[in-house]
Every structure is written in structure tokens, then in C-alpha cells.
Amino acid sequence: ILFCNEIAAQIPAWTIKPNICVAQKIGDKCKLTFSIETRNMPSELLCLFLDGQLLRCSQQAYFNKKTSVSINQNALIELKNKAQKTILSKKLLIKYLEPHEQRRRIRPPWSLF
């Protein structure tokens, strides 16, 4: 049982808070400021990417500052090593306050004839 706990302790993990951005309506850009907490990271230079674009790099993924990004759709944030191998990834979601515009029916869904 101890052996299983040691293996579980070696797996890299992270927490991104918050990972949901709220915009007024569809198509609006949403500015998201999030913090990253990491655990069990390899001792090498790791870089943070948002939809394939480099945000910043850090030794052992120690990101002590909050990171701000602007998104207008769901985005993928990834942590990669020098060889561009993805260590961890997570989706940043965007939610909207105004609902989708709904089409109005021209005639009712029922009929007498």
C-alpha cells in the first residue's frame, strides 16, 4: 500500500483558479486573470501555452504571479517541457450572461386541422 502512495505522489498535478470566464454576450472578449498551483513537477524548465501560443516559462512550473489572458471562445492551456511534450492541460471555459437569441415560431406547434 505504501508503494502505491509513493507512485501517486510522483504524478504532476495543477490547479487553475478560476478556469471559467464570464462575458456579456456571444462574441465578446473576456479577460480572465487566474492563478496556478502546481504539485510534483519535474525539475526542468516548463512553459505555459494558451492555444499554442507561449505565455511564459518557469523552472518546475513555479508561477507565483497571476496570469491574465483575453479569450473570446473556450481555450486550451497547456504546460509543456523543452521537447514540446505536454505535461498537463486544461480547458478555460467561457460563459455568457445573455442567452442565445432564439428563433420565434411563426405558427404554433399545434393545429386544429
Side-chain angles (χ1 to χ4, degrees):
I1 296 174
L2 289 174
F3 183 71
C4 292
N5 288 339
E6 287 177 19
I7 291 175
Q10 300 300 326
I11 297 172
W14 67 353
T15 305
I16 299 177
K17 292 180 183 177
N19 69 330
I20 297 175
C21 189
V22 179
Q24 187 65 32
K25 61 182 192 244
I26 295 175
D28 285 355
K29 282 201 176 259
C30 187
K31 187 171 183 176
L32 180 63
T33 303
F34 57 88
S35 61
I36 300 173
E37 293 176 22
T38 58
R39 294 174 301 285
N40 307 320
M41 289 295 153
S43 59
E44 62 180 314
L45 186 69
L46 298 172
C47 295
L48 196 61
F49 288 84
L50 179 70
D51 282 341
Q53 291 192 342
L54 176 66
L55 293 178
R56 69 165 99 160
C57 295
S58 174
Q59 196 68 27
Q60 289 184 307
Y62 179 69
F63 300 104
N64 58 351
K65 297 179 186 173
K66 291 190 175 228
T67 305
S68 293
V69 295
S70 186
I71 57 174
N72 58 358
Q73 63 184 11
N74 293 343
L76 182 66
I77 190 159
E78 297 173 298
L79 191 65
K80 296 182 179 183
N81 62 10
K82 266 198 234 181
Q84 294 296 312
K85 180 180 178 229
T86 301
I87 307 293
L88 295 167
S89 66
K90 185 163 187 129
K91 253 207 191 302
L92 297 179
L93 304 174
I94 187 165
K95 302 287 183 182
Y96 302 101
L97 294 175
E98 293 180 9
H100 303 303
E101 286 192 27
Q102 295 179 353
R103 291 178 38 186
R104 210 176 112 218
R105 287 186 177 266
I106 296 174
R107 54 179 213 153
W110 48 267
S111 176
L112 295 174
F113 303 101

